[in-house]
Amino acid sequence: MDLGHGSCGDTSKKDSWKTLLLLAYQSLGVVYGDLSISPLYVYKSTFADDIQHSDTNEEIFGVLSFVFWTLTLVPLFKYIFVVLRADDNGEGGTFALYSLLCRHAKVSLLPNRQVADESLSTYKLENPPEKNSTRVKMYLEKHKALHTALLILVLLGTCMVIGDGLLTPAISVFSAVSGLELSMSSDHHQYAVVPITCFILVCLFTLQHYGTHRVGFLFAPVVLAWLLCISALGLYNIIHWNPHVYQALSPYYMFKFMKKTKKGGWMSLGGILLCITGSEAMFADLGHFSYAAFQIAFTFLVYPALILAYMGQAAYLSQHHDNANHIGFYISVPGKLRIPVLIIAILASVVGSQAIISGTFSIINQSQSLGCFPRVKVVHTSDKIHGQIYIPEINWMLMILCIAVTIGFRDTKHMGNASGLAVMTVMLVTTCLTSLVIIICWHKPPIVALCFLLFFGSIELLYFSASLTKFTEGAWLPILLALFLMTIMFVWHYATIKKYEFDLHNKVSLEWLLALGPSLGIARVPGIGIVFTNLTSGIPANFSRFVTNLPAFHRVLVFVCIKSVPVPFVPPAERYLVGRVGPPGHRSYRCIVRYGYRDVHQDVDSFESELVARLADFINYDWHRAHGTNSFPECDASQSNDSSGEYRLAVIGTVAFSGIPAYEIEESVQLASISGGFPTVESVTDVIEMEPVGVVQRRVRFAIDDESGTRSPADMDLQLQEELEDLLLAQQAGTAFILGHSHVKAKQGSSLLKRLALNFGYNFLRRNCRGPDVALKVPPVSLLEVGMVYVV
């Protein structure tokens, strides 16, 4: 385990205490809002039905002991000391763990993996594996069913996070507003709390499109004020009512609690587990802060404040048995302070809800980038703060469902049962994935991962089983929601892979395209034609259909593959992988644009100009390399294997070609099968040559047969100028974007389940989600769609 590993990439954050404390302060509002408001409803949910508060105080002390040790073992030991170290270049969350596993083992179901991806600077791999971890890795790679099971596990965790994003705002705001019951009659209270909660929720979701950064400066002060408030109340109640309540922190009281309450006590664990809701946010938001900032904020402020709050409530209740039917947070607040505390609680609940809503947007965006969610509109609300996004469709759906949950349940108990099950499922998924990371990525002995899995997994399974017993009392909601979302995600992902396989089997060769010209009389029209494809090699079938039916295409042709790589970010200098398709005179190019799962996609205007600039850079680079001039000294390192005059697919960055590359990777493009288990024409006969030269820059080259022969250096300047002029004239003539408009159909003899999934499920989603032209922000006047029926 690399103890220094796991913070953001900026090491200056570690060096400056001032910066570190500022990060810790800012993390209060973004990360700890959800976790800090749990004292509002934990005791109320725990004592709702299954157990009663008696004169012996064994129940309240037992619950306090459970809360203390749960907070200590799960957020503190599991997350702060272990899980937060399992970062992916500083990023955390379920998809960060999955991308780590996909990089270290060939378990990804996305079939577009290339050797070129491993040369990315963010494609960070650990030291060579040990023998035991290699066995586990080989077993995982060998069984295709385990790849699918791993994806389903990740999708389950993702769906439960979305479910938590639906339930947390409802239970948080409802619990905060329910403080009105102590200052209103029961007749007025029941008609006031639900409408006020719904009004606050509508306001919360309506303000989402402004972005978190516009009101984010208020978040940290609100949560800090709330933490100081509950700490002060806790200290007051401990000193005033029961100074000896600290004795209940002993594990012995957990044993006494379970011995006395038996089945009722076990079922009440579904309320106790709510004390750790929001712990997952620490890992999910790791990329915005740092590991050390979380350690400081949680260990020295959040954790002590929560313990004092729970101890204070227990101290008050231990001396007040007459209010057993009204156990809650506000009953332990002195009467004169209830209104100010109520206002701070409502503000804190809004902040906590905001954090989980933003997290839901983020995880849906990541799911979409990995091909696991239908296309939705993603709006980046801040130009300066990376990762702050807003998804309109999801926002309004969450708002409607939140209001429906509030009106439908109308009590903390049912909301708590639903929220508890969602939280424990996410934590179980995180525990399982972290166990695999310990073996495969950290190369620790399997016994270490097994101990981690058994220790924390058994705690979480205990709480999970207690939540399942409340299935009919609210816990059915996250299960139903997860099944619905998982069905959508899996059908979309399955159809995406099947479409890729169809494209792979039906693509045509470059020779076919070159030979077709004279027979059809193909005309070249002015402009640039950008053909979007999922393929990283070959000519897609939709373009061959376009050419055979309309024998004309643009003077400059670019096959663009927008590809997701299992890393959080791809540096701009390494984003574009550019090469030729055919001889230079054909003016056809291939461009693979690589994005990480947290990258911001460019709009079409900047993408078009950036693409043309990278093409011009590549043309310059390729002509100087091919003719052996010394203008670009990086070519010298690769001339030994360049006798056949191959065309190159090179990483074209935003810097000038003035440095020497660190190494070059050469891949022979032959018929072979890819590591993901799908037939393709990539990288089985990879020849990898590495010559360290000292400067960090990469060139990745794919070999394609050269039909043009060598040219004399005397003609090089004229031909180079002519090719660049053609590119400039084509840009001025305009750009057309050629996209496939697909309809998927299950082939004859397919099972009923497959026919339902593809013919009805996928096509329904495709018709009702945003098209690729909207997702890629293609202007309608420049769009050409080619219809394709995929029979898979």
Side-chain angles (χ1 to χ4, degrees):
M1 232 178 274
D2 184 4
L3 298 182
H5 185 66
S7 58
C8 289
D10 186 6
T11 56
S12 65
K13 292 176 182 174
K14 300 177 185 176
D15 302 331
S16 170
W17 275 102
K18 185 179 178 181
T19 305
L20 196 59
L21 290 173
L22 181 62
L23 279 174
Y25 170 72
Q26 291 172 341
S27 71
L28 293 176
V30 176
V31 177
Y32 293 111
D34 188 11
L35 186 61
S36 66
I37 56 177
S38 54
L40 286 171
Y41 45 78
V42 167
Y43 283 135
K44 189 168 186 177
S45 298
T46 305
F47 287 94
D49 263 343
D50 306 304
I51 56 174
Q52 299 297 323
H53 180 37
S54 66
D55 294 341
T56 61
N57 287 326
E58 287 183 348
E59 293 85 0
I60 191 65
F61 288 164
V63 169
L64 175 60
S65 185
F66 264 105
V67 166
F68 172 76
W69 286 105
T70 304
L71 273 171
T72 303
L73 292 175
V74 179
L76 188 62
F77 286 171
K78 176 188 167 184
Y79 279 94
I80 291 293
F81 292 118
V82 182
V83 175
L84 288 183
R85 303 180 190 278
D87 71 306
D88 181 14
N89 291 284
E91 294 297 323
T94 309
F95 278 104
L97 295 173
Y98 185 59
S99 73
L100 272 176
L101 293 171
C102 289
R103 290 212 306 273
H104 286 81
K106 298 173 183 177
V107 295
S108 174
L109 292 177
L110 288 174
N112 59 357
R113 181 169 176 166
Q114 294 174 287
V115 172
D117 300 336
E118 298 181 14
S119 69
L120 289 168
S121 59
T122 50
Y123 202 96
K124 185 162 49 182
L125 299 175
E126 307 294 336
N127 296 323
E130 297 176 1
K131 188 175 181 182
N132 290 333
S133 62
T134 305
R135 288 178 184 171
V136 175
K137 176 183 172 183
M138 289 176 62
Y139 183 81
L140 196 61
E141 291 178 341
K142 183 179 177 183
H143 294 83
K144 188 68 180 297
L146 293 178
H147 302 179
T148 307
L150 186 64
L151 177 68
I152 291 174
L153 187 67
V154 171
L155 294 183
L156 176 63
T158 303
C159 294
M160 285 299 182
V161 170
I162 297 171
D164 197 22
L166 157 67
L167 294 162
T168 295
I171 188 175
S172 301
V173 177
F174 186 87
S175 299
V177 176
S178 64
L180 293 171
E181 67 184 348
L182 298 178
S183 56
M184 300 174 66
S185 65
S186 59
D187 293 336
H188 292 94
H189 166 256
Q190 62 180 342
Y191 295 113
V193 172
V194 173
I196 292 173
T197 302
C198 292
F199 175 74
I200 293 174
L201 289 173
V202 169
C203 293
L204 175 64
F205 283 101
T206 304
L207 294 173
Q208 290 299 313
H209 70 280
Y210 288 110
T212 307
H213 66 287
R214 297 187 187 276
V215 288
F217 67 93
L218 291 174
F219 285 4
V222 167
V223 176
L224 180 61
W226 171 248
L227 289 171
L228 293 176
C229 174
I230 61 176
S231 302
L233 287 171
L235 276 173
Y236 169 79
N237 286 323
I238 292 169
I239 296 169
H240 191 265
W241 297 111
N242 190 350
H244 301 288
V245 73
Y246 67 88
Q247 296 174 355
L249 302 183
S250 168
Y252 173 68
Y253 282 89
M254 290 193 289
F255 172 74
K256 286 182 68 177
F257 172 79
M258 295 304 293
K259 184 178 179 182
K260 180 178 180 180
T261 57
K262 297 183 173 61
K263 184 180 178 182
W266 168 61
M267 294 177 70
S268 71
L269 295 178
I272 295 173
L273 68 86
L274 295 175
C275 70
I276 52 175
T277 56
S279 301
E280 191 71 20
M282 283 191 288
F283 188 40
D285 289 317
L286 182 60
H288 297 149
F289 300 97
S290 72
Y291 173 60
F294 282 151
Q295 277 188 316
I296 292 171
F298 184 78
T299 309
F300 295 106
L301 182 59
V302 179
Y303 177 74
L306 289 174
I307 298 300
L308 285 174
Y310 289 116
M311 287 176 67
Q313 288 186 60
Y316 178 88
L317 292 171
S318 68
Q319 302 299 320
H320 295 79
H321 304 99
D322 53 328
N323 294 321
N325 295 326
H326 298 284
I327 289 178
F329 172 77
Y330 290 103
I331 198 171
S332 64
V333 179
K336 295 180 180 179
L337 297 176
R338 279 177 186 162
I339 297 301
V341 170
L342 174 68
I343 294 170
I344 298 175
I346 291 174
L347 290 173
S349 68
V350 169
V351 171
S353 303
Q354 174 63 56
I356 196 68
I357 292 168
S358 300
T360 304
F361 292 157
S362 179
I363 204 164
I364 286 176
N365 187 41
Q366 293 175 36
S367 306
Q368 183 180 242
S369 70
L370 293 177
C372 297
F373 201 84
R375 287 179 291 266
V376 289
K377 182 181 180 181
V378 178
V379 179
H380 295 271
T381 58
S382 174
D383 296 329
K384 297 178 181 178
I385 304 174
H386 187 88
Q388 289 195 358
I389 59 174
Y390 165 69
I391 303 177
E393 298 97 328
I394 302 300
N395 182 65
W396 302 123
M397 287 182 187
L398 282 177
M399 185 189 78
I400 293 168
L401 290 173
C402 263
I403 292 172
V405 166
T406 304
I407 296 173
F409 285 158
R410 281 175 293 185
D411 69 350
T412 308
K413 184 185 83 169
H414 286 83
M415 294 181 194
N417 293 337
S419 181
L421 185 66
V423 167
M424 290 320 302
T425 307
V426 174
M427 290 189 172
L428 274 170
V429 169
T430 302
T431 301
C432 295
L433 293 176
T434 306
S435 303
L436 289 174
V437 167
I438 290 173
I439 300 174
I440 294 173
C441 305
W442 293 349
H443 313 305
K444 298 297 177 185
I447 188 66
V448 175
L450 187 62
C451 290
F452 175 83
L453 179 64
L454 290 178
F455 182 73
F456 291 107
S458 59
I459 295 171
E460 290 158 0
L461 272 176
L462 177 67
Y463 283 119
F464 182 76
S465 63
S467 295
L468 277 181
T469 61
K470 305 296 182 68
F471 181 83
T472 58
E473 299 175 23
W476 57 268
L477 180 61
I479 295 177
L480 184 65
L481 185 66
L483 286 175
F484 177 72
L485 287 172
M486 281 186 68
T487 303
I488 290 176
M489 288 180 164
F490 198 77
V491 165
W492 188 268
H493 188 77
Y494 177 76
T496 301
I497 291 176
K498 288 299 179 184
K499 283 174 61 180
Y500 185 90
E501 287 180 318
F502 181 89
D503 282 337
L504 212 53
H505 290 127
N506 291 276
K507 68 181 180 181
V508 296
S509 65
L510 171 65
E511 290 75 15
W512 176 87
L513 181 64
L514 296 174
L516 198 63
S519 61
L520 287 180
I522 291 179
R524 302 295 291 268
V525 298
I528 299 177
I530 297 179
V531 182
F532 286 97
T533 173
N534 292 322
L535 300 175
T536 55
S537 64
I539 310 298
N542 60 354
F543 182 73
S544 64
R545 176 169 295 188
F546 174 78
V547 170
T548 51
N549 286 280
L550 182 67
F553 54 87
H554 296 82
R555 185 70 188 95
V556 174
L557 195 62
V558 188
F559 295 96
V560 174
C561 172
I562 295 181
K563 173 183 170 182
S564 181
V565 185
V567 295
F569 306 104
V570 175
E574 301 175 8
R575 177 153 313 196
Y576 290 86
L577 204 57
V578 188
R580 293 191 188 279
V581 177
H586 200 264
R587 302 293 191 262
S588 298
Y589 309 92
R590 181 178 309 284
C591 180
I592 299 172
V593 189
R594 301 176 291 185
Y595 286 100
Y597 55 83
R598 280 189 180 270
D599 267 322
V600 178
H601 288 240
Q602 297 160 291
D603 59 50
V604 71
D605 293 329
S606 62
F607 172 74
E608 182 185 340
S609 56
E610 184 81 5
L611 179 63
V612 171
R614 298 289 77 80
L615 286 174
D617 286 343
F618 169 76
I619 292 167
N620 269 299
Y621 163 74
D622 187 64
W623 277 103
H624 285 89
R625 178 206 53 77
H627 295 87
T629 65
N630 292 324
S631 301
F632 297 97
E634 71 273 11
C635 304
D636 298 341
S638 62
Q639 290 303 309
S640 58
N641 286 342
D642 206 17
S643 57
S644 61
E646 301 161 332
Y647 293 115
R648 311 294 180 194
L649 193 59
V651 176
I652 303 298
T654 55
V655 293
F657 299 109
S658 56
I660 302 175
Y663 57 81
E664 296 189 349
I665 299 178
E666 185 171 310
E667 301 188 12
S668 300
V669 181
Q670 299 178 6
L671 284 170
S673 68
I674 199 165
S675 56
F678 298 95
T680 182
V681 289
E682 299 178 351
S683 75
V684 146
T685 55
D686 298 332
V687 181
I688 301 180
E689 300 173 357
M690 295 192 180
E691 296 186 31
V693 212
V695 179
V696 181
Q697 191 178 12
R698 289 165 172 73
R699 290 286 180 269
V700 184
R701 306 179 302 165
F702 288 71
I704 303 176
D705 291 338
D706 185 356
E707 298 181 2
S708 64
T710 57
R711 302 176 188 270
S712 64
D715 298 333
M716 191 267 290
D717 288 336
L718 183 61
Q719 292 165 347
L720 170 59
Q721 185 177 355
E722 183 183 341
E723 187 169 1
L724 289 173
E725 285 177 355
D726 283 349
L727 179 63
L728 180 62
L729 289 171
Q731 184 185 16
Q732 292 172 349
T735 302
F737 297 85
I738 303 170
L739 276 74
H741 186 81
S742 59
H743 179 82
V744 179
K745 184 179 178 182
K747 58 180 149 186
Q748 288 281 345
S750 297
S751 65
L752 177 63
L753 191 61
K754 182 178 178 180
R755 291 202 304 272
L756 286 173
L758 294 178
N759 296 353
F760 297 99
Y762 176 78
N763 286 316
F764 174 80
L765 291 173
R766 181 188 56 79
R767 286 192 301 270
N768 289 279
C769 73
R770 294 183 182 265
D773 55 323
V774 178
L776 296 167
K777 301 174 184 173
V778 176
V781 293
S782 304
L783 177 64
L784 290 174
E785 285 192 310
V786 182
M788 281 286 293
V789 177
Y790 287 81
V791 181
V792 297

